[in-house]
Amino acid sequence: MNDETLPPCPECSGTYTYEMGALLVCPECGHEWTLSAASDAGDSGESGVIRDAVGNALSDGDDVTVVKTLKVKGHPTGIKAGTKVRNIRLVSGVAGHDIDCKIEGFGAMQLKSSVVKKA
């Protein structure tokens, strides 16, 4: 397979993917996957759906609850499990952070959908 037909990285959408044996590798984020996994993901029809930690589909304006305690740089206690976050906005953020929100006592920040559940 030549470089022109290799799919972009499913994690960061990087276009510099290359083959390493049976795996495809993204040099930008280090993600490794198989070509069959990439084609299966493309056939699902729900590639743009962002899901929470328990599998519920999220959308803009939803309220979510943090499911595990998160460390926050520069804050002694971090965000405790059970913290409610209101009116989220879905974005394509950096390093898997796909939720843009404001958390009371912390301000604006981005969260990963894998650490929240729909309220």
Side-chain angles (χ1 to χ4, degrees):
M1 191 177 257
N2 63 21
D3 292 336
E4 294 175 10
T5 60
L6 291 175
C9 175
E11 292 290 316
C12 71
S13 300
T15 58
Y16 300 109
T17 58
Y18 62 90
E19 286 182 287
M20 185 172 69
L23 294 176
L24 296 175
V25 181
C26 176
E28 295 178 41
C29 69
H31 180 66
E32 297 178 352
W33 72 101
T34 61
L35 186 58
S36 62
S39 63
D40 290 346
D43 296 340
S44 69
E46 293 189 13
S47 60
V49 176
I50 296 175
R51 298 195 176 274
D52 66 3
V54 293
N56 297 322
L58 296 172
S59 60
D60 286 344
D62 283 345
D63 295 342
V64 295
T65 304
V66 178
V67 295
K68 70 179 204 175
T69 302
L70 304 171
K71 293 180 182 177
V72 178
K73 188 183 275 187
H75 199 276
T77 59
I79 301 170
K80 299 198 186 255
T83 301
K84 293 191 179 196
V85 181
R86 301 185 189 280
N87 198 18
I88 65 169
R89 188 169 52 109
L90 302 178
V91 297
S92 57
V94 177
H97 293 81
D98 44 16
I99 297 175
D100 197 18
C101 62
K102 287 185 183 176
I103 300 177
E104 193 171 320
F106 292 91
M109 64 176 39
Q110 289 189 339
L111 298 173
K112 292 184 178 183
S113 59
S114 61
V115 298
V116 299
K117 74 174 185 177
K118 199 170 187 176

